[in-house]
Amino acid sequence: MNLNALDLNLVRVLDALLREKSVTRAGEQIGLSQPAVSAALNRLRHTLNDQLFVRRGNDMVPTPRAESLAEPVRAALREIERAFQPATDFDPARLERTFTFMGADFFSMLLMPPFAARIATVAPGVSFRFLDSAIGDVSKLLQEDRIDLALERPLEVAEWVSSVALFGSPFAVIAAKDNAALGRAGIAEGEEVPIDLFCALPHALRSIDGSMSGFTDDALGRTGRARRVTLALPHFQAVALAVASGPYLAAVPTQFAVQAAKSLPIGIYRAPISIPSPAVRMYWHARRDDEPPHRWIREQILDEVGKLGFKDWDDTASAHPAI
């Protein structure tokens, strides 16, 4: 095609339409009137010889051709923005930006309160949003710029997603301090729950998709055993509350178990089997690799994780006499 027929404003309009799926909302995003967006769309259709968007109800649905352009167009605009950014040193104190993270309530409870307080002292113009893991696919959310970072277990992601390991997340078993079955068996806090008792008692499980199995069940299955999962909940805190007030056992990350036991009547025990520890990672779009504010916030997260001691836990509960 003749690139002289395609100006940057048309590319901006296409990107906004792909994001918003609405002529009106796209215009609001880039500061153009509805007629101006419609005129730009007509020029794009003529230039690319494709409808690009077809109306379905109140939304504009992209054609396959438009969908194929979404990521290249977005990446091209990012590179243009980066090329024309003023060559000044990055100063967190002058940064005005909202970062959107995604992950389990493990992070919103343990990491975000001290992290947000710390950032507020050096970058008061920075705000944070934290979205639950259940919101959707990490690669898609990063591609659409709906999140800046994901803090998640190992995931299969697109090749353009960058990541770094944060820490290992070994499992501990939690139960109510007055759990009758453990009391009758004479199992004290910090001790191993016998395999037969572990499998016989009801279990609560953190599950974002409603499934009734997880890492623990996989590990048990390899030994020919199975447990009874009778309660699946979408958040770790909900699991801890259920355990504190009911007959359940639960296998949860050790870091979370220790924190939950500070405020709930929960005892921490060792599992009777070896449960592989998922290496929690931080994920982001590779186009952000060298963006100063994004690189800075990633560095701050890594530093905060270190300060919280998350990296100090290894794969053996026996290394931690407190549990």
Side-chain angles (χ1 to χ4, degrees):
M1 63 172 289
N2 182 6
L3 289 179
N4 291 330
L6 191 66
D7 64 41
L8 183 58
N9 285 326
L10 293 182
V11 179
R12 291 177 62 238
V13 169
L14 177 58
D15 179 58
L17 285 167
L18 286 164
R19 291 175 185 272
E20 301 296 334
K21 311 295 192 300
S22 161
V23 169
T24 300
R25 293 195 300 271
E28 292 172 350
Q29 182 188 113
I30 58 178
L32 293 178
S33 66
Q34 183 173 336
V37 174
S38 296
L41 176 57
N42 285 334
R43 288 179 61 190
L44 283 164
R45 284 168 167 165
H46 176 75
T47 301
L48 298 175
N49 193 30
D50 189 275
Q51 278 292 97
L52 296 178
F53 296 89
V54 294
R55 182 166 295 282
R56 181 183 298 167
N58 294 324
D59 290 331
M60 303 286 286
V61 179
T63 65
R65 171 66 167 146
E67 288 182 334
S68 73
L69 290 170
E71 179 55 26
V73 164
R74 201 156 295 150
L77 288 173
R78 291 291 181 190
E79 287 301 315
I80 292 171
E81 289 174 2
R82 183 181 300 176
F84 286 93
Q85 282 179 347
T88 57
D89 292 334
F90 170 67
D91 181 5
R94 300 176 61 184
L95 181 61
E96 299 282 341
R97 179 162 173 174
T98 297
F99 289 98
T100 302
F101 300 161
M102 170 183 153
D105 62 320
F106 175 103
F107 290 103
S108 59
M109 291 174 58
L110 274 62
L111 173 68
M112 290 309 297
F115 179 71
R118 169 188 168 185
I119 296 300
T121 64
V122 295
V126 169
S127 302
F128 296 103
R129 276 189 301 245
F130 199 96
L131 307 182
D132 191 85
S133 295
I135 190 172
D137 176 73
V138 166
S139 295
K140 185 173 187 292
L141 294 169
L142 289 171
Q143 181 183 27
E144 296 175 352
D145 274 342
R146 292 174 61 190
I147 60 174
D148 293 288
L149 291 169
L151 309 174
E152 290 285 357
R153 68 194 186 285
L155 299 172
E156 290 188 8
V157 291
E159 61 182 10
W160 42 261
V161 175
S162 297
S163 72
V164 65
L166 290 177
F167 54 87
S169 184
F171 288 95
V173 176
I174 57 173
K177 282 185 174 292
D178 61 356
N179 185 286
L182 293 181
R184 286 193 299 268
I187 310 300
E189 291 184 39
E191 293 184 349
E192 180 179 303
V193 180
I195 185 70
D196 290 339
L197 186 59
F198 185 81
C199 292
L201 291 179
H203 283 248
L205 169 75
R206 184 251 178 180
S207 171
I208 63 172
D209 60 3
S211 63
M212 301 291 278
S213 65
F215 289 105
T216 303
D217 302 278
D218 295 338
L220 280 169
R222 287 190 286 271
T223 69
R225 304 297 294 264
R227 62 174 177 167
R228 293 197 305 126
V229 176
T230 60
L231 180 63
L233 296 166
H235 302 114
F236 284 116
Q237 181 65 5
V239 169
L241 289 170
V243 165
S245 60
Y248 307 101
L249 301 183
V252 298
T254 298
Q255 297 95 328
F256 174 80
V258 171
Q259 184 67 24
K262 294 177 181 178
S263 58
L264 293 172
I266 285 174
I268 306 177
Y269 304 84
R270 291 186 288 121
I273 55 169
S274 176
I275 306 172
S277 301
V280 177
R281 303 186 68 84
M282 175 164 58
Y283 299 88
W284 67 94
H285 200 299
R287 64 170 171 255
R288 306 284 193 187
D289 283 352
D290 299 319
E291 181 186 309
H294 203 279
R295 185 172 63 244
W296 174 76
I297 206 68
R298 298 196 308 266
E299 292 170 351
Q300 302 311 302
I301 290 175
L302 287 169
D303 189 56
E304 188 66 26
V305 165
K307 288 184 176 182
L308 289 171
F310 286 179
K311 295 180 180 179
D312 297 337
W313 304 92
D314 63 24
D315 289 341
T316 57
S318 59
H320 309 289
I323 63 168

